[in-house]
Amino acid sequence: MVRLTAKLMDIDYPGLMLNREDARKIGVIDGGRVQVINEETGVFASACVTTTETILEKGTFGIFYKTNERLMAREGSVLEVRIASRPLSLDYIKKKMDGGKFSKEETNAIVNDIVNDVLSPSEMGAYITSSYINGLDMDEVEHLTRAMVATGDQLKFTSHPIVDKHSIGGVPGNKISFLVVPIIAAAGLKIPKTSSRAITGAGGTADLMEVLAPVSFSASEVQKMTEKVGGTIVWGGATNIAPADDKIIIYEYPFKIDARGQMLASVMAKKFAVGADLVVIDIPVGQHAKVTTPEEGRKLAREFIELGERLGIKVECALTYGESPIGHAIGVNLEVREALWVLEGAKEPNSLIQKSTSIAGIALEMSGKAQAGGGLQAASDILASGKALEKMREIIEVQGGDPKVMSEDILPGQFYHIVKAPESGYVVEMNNHALITIARAAGAPHDRGAGIYIHKKKGHRVEKGDPIFMIYADRSWRLEKAVETARQLMPMIVEGMLIDRVPSSYWRGTPE
């Protein structure tokens, strides 16, 4: 044990930095653990160590921001630093790496260490990788789901049923929450929708909603707002609902993986934590979606339904068309404007209206607000009547936004480029991944005006020179980058109906 002078380091990460000579005295190396004791407050914290020979002088140590959230040390205070034992959760992770199975107690220990920032980045990587390679069975998924819920805040409603929906993602422009939530709430149901920000996409639902109103609220605030107007669309990362999930996602992102067991637990933990009784899961199916075949989609649906039964939640799943974007808009402002168009009475885009009313209709049937087979019509009637728009305005207002906002107030980026059809024919292919990549190159989701507006979708007839899509950007250099990316990726293919002619030319010789 040594006593060292604290220096607060504005690094948004758990951990400590030690001078290498002090680290030797304590007995740790890079990646090792120490325990720090704040005698003023009686608080102690364990953290992984980074060492330096130049950044910090002997007798001082740096406390990273995330660690000091727990430690509450002051700049210049003298604290005790001692070597710490390795957490037991590492033994459990090693067991999984060797093909073993997590018990309930082992899962609880791991999730607690994740939430409390005990595990280092490399240890988190080992947990995620071992779970990805060896998989989680349904017992392990249930343990993980319950542990995620137990380590965060929960909503407790006195009236039921509570409804929720989720899309597993993978399809650009999937802004259906902007229609589904107000339709369900306008039917007299409660739907506290917690949503994510974009990780690899062009705009998460929380990014979109932030154009209209604040989205960062505590769990208790979400509950009060839902009880007042029937629904919310908020950022789940601010609620402390299933906080382990947000930490896991950060470490999954570099690998671009979405392990099946982790994904099931991630989705259902948030539904369980908000007190949902009825949940509709949207599973887009398509060549460029996360789920590529209907068979795979049905298998995933059965897993969601089984997990729901274990948790006491009624789940229904909708396998939806995932070959092309929902609607015409990809990118924050463009998608918000398109959703408001529909709420205001527009009859297009049909894909957005059909998908939204279908998902909402399933929820209305599950809740008894519509008869079996009548949910789609009931949802369509609520949308057409203007009740969904009225409810959306209430949601915007209760979250602190301007309820008078109109679609015409939401503008795309000032810089744009029109991509035209190179020949006459039909749009025969749309690559969702390529479209998202182009929108992100244009600045989405950070630049709200950036994105893509699609004029022609798969199966549509085009003439040479017709606009097929437009790229928008808030900054000119971003637009140039996006246009170059579009040239490389060719996200939409236009072909004529005549593919080839056999034989390709007439025989003009003299037959022998």
Side-chain angles (χ1 to χ4, degrees), residues 123-160:
E123 292 158 356
M124 283 289 295
Y127 168 67
I128 290 164
T129 305
S130 63
S131 299
Y132 177 72
I133 292 173
N134 294 317
L136 302 176
D137 66 19
M138 197 54 71
D139 287 336
E140 291 173 295
V141 173
E142 181 186 353
H143 299 331
L144 179 57
T145 305
R146 292 185 181 277
M148 283 181 169
V149 173
T151 49
D153 294 335
Q154 298 179 52
L155 276 58
K156 303 288 186 183
F157 290 96
T158 55
S159 63
H160 293 269

Short mmCIF file of all heavy atoms in Angstrom, two decimals, residues 123-160:
data_model
loop_
_atom_site.label_atom_id
_atom_site.label_comp_id
_atom_site.label_asym_id
_atom_site.label_seq_id
_atom_site.Cartn_x
_atom_site.Cartn_y
_atom_site.Cartn_z
N GLU A 123 -11.14 -7.71 -20.72
CA GLU A 123 -11.99 -8.69 -20.06
C GLU A 123 -13.42 -8.64 -20.59
O GLU A 123 -14.07 -9.68 -20.75
CB GLU A 123 -11.94 -8.46 -18.54
CG GLU A 123 -10.58 -8.79 -17.95
CD GLU A 123 -10.31 -8.11 -16.62
OE1 GLU A 123 -11.15 -7.30 -16.17
OE2 GLU A 123 -9.24 -8.37 -16.03
N MET A 124 -13.91 -7.43 -20.88
CA MET A 124 -15.22 -7.30 -21.51
C MET A 124 -15.21 -7.95 -22.89
O MET A 124 -16.16 -8.64 -23.27
CB MET A 124 -15.59 -5.83 -21.64
CG MET A 124 -16.06 -5.18 -20.36
SD MET A 124 -17.69 -5.77 -19.85
CE MET A 124 -18.72 -5.15 -21.18
N GLY A 125 -14.12 -7.74 -23.61
CA GLY A 125 -13.99 -8.37 -24.92
C GLY A 125 -14.03 -9.88 -24.84
O GLY A 125 -14.64 -10.55 -25.68
N ALA A 126 -13.38 -10.43 -23.80
CA ALA A 126 -13.37 -11.89 -23.61
C ALA A 126 -14.77 -12.40 -23.30
O ALA A 126 -15.19 -13.45 -23.81
CB ALA A 126 -12.41 -12.26 -22.48
N TYR A 127 -15.52 -11.66 -22.48
CA TYR A 127 -16.89 -12.07 -22.15
C TYR A 127 -17.77 -12.07 -23.40
O TYR A 127 -18.50 -13.04 -23.67
CB TYR A 127 -17.48 -11.12 -21.09
CG TYR A 127 -18.97 -11.27 -20.91
CD1 TYR A 127 -19.50 -12.44 -20.38
CD2 TYR A 127 -19.84 -10.26 -21.30
CE1 TYR A 127 -20.88 -12.60 -20.24
CE2 TYR A 127 -21.21 -10.40 -21.15
CZ TYR A 127 -21.72 -11.57 -20.61
OH TYR A 127 -23.07 -11.72 -20.48
N ILE A 128 -17.70 -11.00 -24.16
CA ILE A 128 -18.54 -10.89 -25.36
C ILE A 128 -18.16 -11.94 -26.40
O ILE A 128 -19.02 -12.59 -27.00
CB ILE A 128 -18.43 -9.46 -25.94
CG1 ILE A 128 -19.11 -8.47 -25.00
CG2 ILE A 128 -19.03 -9.39 -27.34
CD1 ILE A 128 -18.74 -7.04 -25.25
N THR A 129 -16.86 -12.14 -26.60
CA THR A 129 -16.40 -13.09 -27.60
C THR A 129 -16.75 -14.52 -27.22
O THR A 129 -17.20 -15.31 -28.06
CB THR A 129 -14.88 -12.95 -27.81
OG1 THR A 129 -14.56 -11.61 -28.14
CG2 THR A 129 -14.40 -13.85 -28.94
N SER A 130 -16.56 -14.88 -25.96
CA SER A 130 -16.88 -16.25 -25.52
C SER A 130 -18.37 -16.52 -25.64
O SER A 130 -18.79 -17.61 -26.04
CB SER A 130 -16.40 -16.47 -24.09
OG SER A 130 -17.07 -15.61 -23.17
N SER A 131 -19.20 -15.51 -25.32
CA SER A 131 -20.65 -15.67 -25.44
C SER A 131 -21.07 -15.75 -26.91
O SER A 131 -22.02 -16.45 -27.25
CB SER A 131 -21.37 -14.50 -24.77
OG SER A 131 -21.08 -14.45 -23.39
N TYR A 132 -20.33 -15.06 -27.76
CA TYR A 132 -20.64 -15.05 -29.20
C TYR A 132 -20.25 -16.39 -29.84
O TYR A 132 -21.04 -16.99 -30.59
CB TYR A 132 -19.88 -13.90 -29.87
CG TYR A 132 -20.04 -13.84 -31.37
CD1 TYR A 132 -21.24 -13.45 -31.93
CD2 TYR A 132 -18.98 -14.15 -32.21
CE1 TYR A 132 -21.39 -13.38 -33.32
CE2 TYR A 132 -19.11 -14.08 -33.58
CZ TYR A 132 -20.32 -13.69 -34.13
OH TYR A 132 -20.46 -13.61 -35.50
N ILE A 133 -19.06 -16.88 -29.51
CA ILE A 133 -18.57 -18.10 -30.15
C ILE A 133 -19.29 -19.34 -29.61
O ILE A 133 -19.71 -20.21 -30.38
CB ILE A 133 -17.04 -18.23 -29.95
CG1 ILE A 133 -16.31 -17.13 -30.74
CG2 ILE A 133 -16.55 -19.61 -30.39
CD1 ILE A 133 -14.83 -17.06 -30.48
N ASN A 134 -19.45 -19.42 -28.30
CA ASN A 134 -20.05 -20.61 -27.70
C ASN A 134 -21.55 -20.49 -27.49
O ASN A 134 -22.21 -21.49 -27.19
CB ASN A 134 -19.35 -20.93 -26.37
CG ASN A 134 -17.90 -21.33 -26.57
OD1 ASN A 134 -17.59 -22.10 -27.47
ND2 ASN A 134 -17.00 -20.80 -25.76
N GLY A 135 -22.08 -19.29 -27.64
CA GLY A 135 -23.52 -19.10 -27.55
C GLY A 135 -24.07 -19.18 -26.14
O GLY A 135 -23.40 -19.65 -25.21
N LEU A 136 -25.29 -18.67 -25.98
CA LEU A 136 -26.01 -18.75 -24.71
C LEU A 136 -27.28 -19.54 -24.95
O LEU A 136 -28.03 -19.25 -25.89
CB LEU A 136 -26.37 -17.35 -24.20
CG LEU A 136 -25.23 -16.35 -23.97
CD1 LEU A 136 -25.81 -14.99 -23.55
CD2 LEU A 136 -24.26 -16.84 -22.92
N ASP A 137 -27.53 -20.55 -24.09
CA ASP A 137 -28.80 -21.26 -24.23
C ASP A 137 -29.90 -20.44 -23.55
O ASP A 137 -29.64 -19.38 -22.96
CB ASP A 137 -28.71 -22.68 -23.68
CG ASP A 137 -28.49 -22.76 -22.17
OD1 ASP A 137 -28.76 -21.78 -21.46
OD2 ASP A 137 -28.05 -23.84 -21.71
N MET A 138 -31.14 -20.91 -23.61
CA MET A 138 -32.24 -20.09 -23.13
C MET A 138 -32.19 -19.86 -21.62
O MET A 138 -32.62 -18.81 -21.13
CB MET A 138 -33.58 -20.70 -23.53
CG MET A 138 -34.75 -19.74 -23.44
SD MET A 138 -34.52 -18.17 -24.34
CE MET A 138 -34.62 -18.73 -26.03
N ASP A 139 -31.65 -20.81 -20.86
CA ASP A 139 -31.47 -20.59 -19.42
C ASP A 139 -30.51 -19.42 -19.19
O ASP A 139 -30.76 -18.54 -18.36
CB ASP A 139 -30.94 -21.85 -18.74
CG ASP A 139 -31.98 -22.95 -18.62
OD1 ASP A 139 -33.18 -22.64 -18.64
OD2 ASP A 139 -31.58 -24.13 -18.51
N GLU A 140 -29.40 -19.43 -19.92
CA GLU A 140 -28.40 -18.37 -19.77
C GLU A 140 -28.96 -17.01 -20.21
O GLU A 140 -28.67 -15.98 -19.59
CB GLU A 140 -27.14 -18.70 -20.57
CG GLU A 140 -26.36 -19.89 -20.02
CD GLU A 140 -25.22 -20.29 -20.94
OE1 GLU A 140 -25.50 -20.74 -22.07
OE2 GLU A 140 -24.05 -20.14 -20.53
N VAL A 141 -29.76 -17.04 -21.28
CA VAL A 141 -30.37 -15.79 -21.74
C VAL A 141 -31.33 -15.24 -20.68
O VAL A 141 -31.36 -14.03 -20.41
CB VAL A 141 -31.11 -16.02 -23.08
CG1 VAL A 141 -31.88 -14.76 -23.48
CG2 VAL A 141 -30.12 -16.38 -24.19
N GLU A 142 -32.12 -16.11 -20.08
CA GLU A 142 -33.03 -15.66 -19.02
C GLU A 142 -32.25 -15.09 -17.83
O GLU A 142 -32.61 -14.03 -17.29
CB GLU A 142 -33.92 -16.81 -18.55
CG GLU A 142 -34.90 -16.37 -17.46
CD GLU A 142 -35.71 -17.51 -16.87
OE1 GLU A 142 -35.63 -18.64 -17.38
OE2 GLU A 142 -36.43 -17.25 -15.88
N HIS A 143 -31.18 -15.79 -17.43
CA HIS A 143 -30.36 -15.28 -16.32
C HIS A 143 -29.81 -13.89 -16.64
O HIS A 143 -29.83 -12.99 -15.79
CB HIS A 143 -29.18 -16.23 -16.04
CG HIS A 143 -29.57 -17.61 -15.63
ND1 HIS A 143 -30.75 -17.89 -14.96
CD2 HIS A 143 -28.93 -18.81 -15.79
CE1 HIS A 143 -30.83 -19.20 -14.73
NE2 HIS A 143 -29.74 -19.77 -15.22
N LEU A 144 -29.31 -13.73 -17.88
CA LEU A 144 -28.74 -12.45 -18.29
C LEU A 144 -29.80 -11.36 -18.31
O LEU A 144 -29.57 -10.23 -17.84
CB LEU A 144 -28.09 -12.59 -19.67
CG LEU A 144 -27.46 -11.34 -20.28
CD1 LEU A 144 -26.39 -10.75 -19.35
CD2 LEU A 144 -26.86 -11.65 -21.66
N THR A 145 -30.98 -11.68 -18.82
CA THR A 145 -32.06 -10.70 -18.88
C THR A 145 -32.44 -10.22 -17.49
O THR A 145 -32.55 -9.01 -17.24
CB THR A 145 -33.30 -11.32 -19.57
OG1 THR A 145 -32.92 -11.83 -20.85
CG2 THR A 145 -34.39 -10.28 -19.74
N ARG A 146 -32.64 -11.15 -16.58
CA ARG A 146 -33.05 -10.79 -15.21
C ARG A 146 -31.95 -10.02 -14.49
O ARG A 146 -32.23 -9.08 -13.73
CB ARG A 146 -33.43 -12.05 -14.43
CG ARG A 146 -34.71 -12.72 -14.95
CD ARG A 146 -35.13 -13.89 -14.07
NE ARG A 146 -36.33 -14.54 -14.57
CZ ARG A 146 -37.57 -14.12 -14.32
NH1 ARG A 146 -37.77 -13.04 -13.58
NH2 ARG A 146 -38.61 -14.79 -14.80
N ALA A 147 -30.68 -10.39 -14.72
CA ALA A 147 -29.58 -9.68 -14.07
C ALA A 147 -29.47 -8.25 -14.59
O ALA A 147 -29.20 -7.31 -13.83
CB ALA A 147 -28.26 -10.43 -14.31
N MET A 148 -29.69 -8.06 -15.91
CA MET A 148 -29.66 -6.71 -16.48
C MET A 148 -30.74 -5.83 -15.86
O MET A 148 -30.50 -4.66 -15.56
CB MET A 148 -29.87 -6.78 -18.00
CG MET A 148 -28.67 -7.23 -18.80
SD MET A 148 -29.09 -7.24 -20.57
CE MET A 148 -27.47 -7.46 -21.30
N VAL A 149 -31.93 -6.40 -15.66
CA VAL A 149 -33.03 -5.63 -15.08
C VAL A 149 -32.75 -5.31 -13.62
O VAL A 149 -32.96 -4.18 -13.16
CB VAL A 149 -34.35 -6.42 -15.21
CG1 VAL A 149 -35.48 -5.70 -14.47
CG2 VAL A 149 -34.72 -6.59 -16.68
N ALA A 150 -32.24 -6.28 -12.87
CA ALA A 150 -32.03 -6.12 -11.43
C ALA A 150 -30.98 -5.07 -11.10
O ALA A 150 -31.01 -4.46 -10.02
CB ALA A 150 -31.64 -7.45 -10.81
N THR A 151 -30.04 -4.82 -12.01
CA THR A 151 -28.96 -3.86 -11.75
C THR A 151 -29.28 -2.46 -12.24
O THR A 151 -28.41 -1.59 -12.25
CB THR A 151 -27.65 -4.34 -12.41
OG1 THR A 151 -27.91 -4.70 -13.77
CG2 THR A 151 -27.08 -5.55 -11.68
N GLY A 152 -30.53 -2.21 -12.66
CA GLY A 152 -30.93 -0.89 -13.11
C GLY A 152 -32.25 -0.45 -12.52
O GLY A 152 -32.80 -1.11 -11.63
N ASP A 153 -32.78 0.66 -13.02
CA ASP A 153 -34.07 1.17 -12.55
C ASP A 153 -35.20 0.45 -13.28
O ASP A 153 -35.04 -0.05 -14.39
CB ASP A 153 -34.16 2.68 -12.82
CG ASP A 153 -33.18 3.47 -11.98
OD1 ASP A 153 -32.78 2.97 -10.90
OD2 ASP A 153 -32.80 4.58 -12.40
N GLN A 154 -36.37 0.44 -12.63
CA GLN A 154 -37.54 -0.20 -13.23
C GLN A 154 -38.76 0.72 -13.09
O GLN A 154 -38.83 1.52 -12.16
CB GLN A 154 -37.84 -1.53 -12.54
CG GLN A 154 -36.72 -2.56 -12.67
CD GLN A 154 -37.04 -3.86 -11.97
OE1 GLN A 154 -38.10 -4.45 -12.18
NE2 GLN A 154 -36.12 -4.32 -11.12
N LEU A 155 -39.70 0.56 -14.02
CA LEU A 155 -40.97 1.30 -13.98
C LEU A 155 -42.04 0.41 -13.39
O LEU A 155 -42.09 -0.79 -13.70
CB LEU A 155 -41.37 1.75 -15.38
CG LEU A 155 -40.75 3.06 -15.92
CD1 LEU A 155 -39.24 2.99 -15.95
CD2 LEU A 155 -41.29 3.36 -17.32
N LYS A 156 -42.87 0.97 -12.53
CA LYS A 156 -43.96 0.23 -11.90
C LYS A 156 -45.27 0.98 -12.13
O LYS A 156 -45.51 2.02 -11.50
CB LYS A 156 -43.70 0.08 -10.39
CG LYS A 156 -42.38 -0.59 -10.02
CD LYS A 156 -42.39 -2.08 -10.31
CE LYS A 156 -41.11 -2.74 -9.81
NZ LYS A 156 -41.07 -4.18 -10.14
N PHE A 157 -46.08 0.49 -13.03
CA PHE A 157 -47.36 1.12 -13.33
C PHE A 157 -48.48 0.44 -12.53
O PHE A 157 -48.44 -0.77 -12.29
CB PHE A 157 -47.68 1.02 -14.83
CG PHE A 157 -46.79 1.87 -15.69
CD1 PHE A 157 -45.66 1.34 -16.29
CD2 PHE A 157 -47.08 3.22 -15.88
CE1 PHE A 157 -44.84 2.12 -17.09
CE2 PHE A 157 -46.26 4.01 -16.68
CZ PHE A 157 -45.14 3.46 -17.28
N THR A 158 -49.47 1.22 -12.15
CA THR A 158 -50.60 0.68 -11.38
C THR A 158 -51.71 0.17 -12.29
O THR A 158 -52.49 -0.70 -11.89
CB THR A 158 -51.18 1.75 -10.43
OG1 THR A 158 -51.53 2.91 -11.20
CG2 THR A 158 -50.15 2.13 -9.38
N SER A 159 -51.79 0.71 -13.52
CA SER A 159 -52.81 0.24 -14.47
C SER A 159 -52.15 -0.49 -15.62
O SER A 159 -51.02 -0.17 -16.01
CB SER A 159 -53.63 1.42 -15.00
OG SER A 159 -52.81 2.32 -15.72
N HIS A 160 -52.86 -1.47 -16.15
CA HIS A 160 -52.30 -2.31 -17.20
C HIS A 160 -53.37 -2.53 -18.27
O HIS A 160 -54.55 -2.28 -18.04
CB HIS A 160 -51.84 -3.65 -16.60
CG HIS A 160 -50.67 -3.50 -15.68
ND1 HIS A 160 -49.36 -3.60 -16.09
CD2 HIS A 160 -50.60 -3.23 -14.35
CE1 HIS A 160 -48.54 -3.40 -15.07
NE2 HIS A 160 -49.29 -3.18 -13.99
#
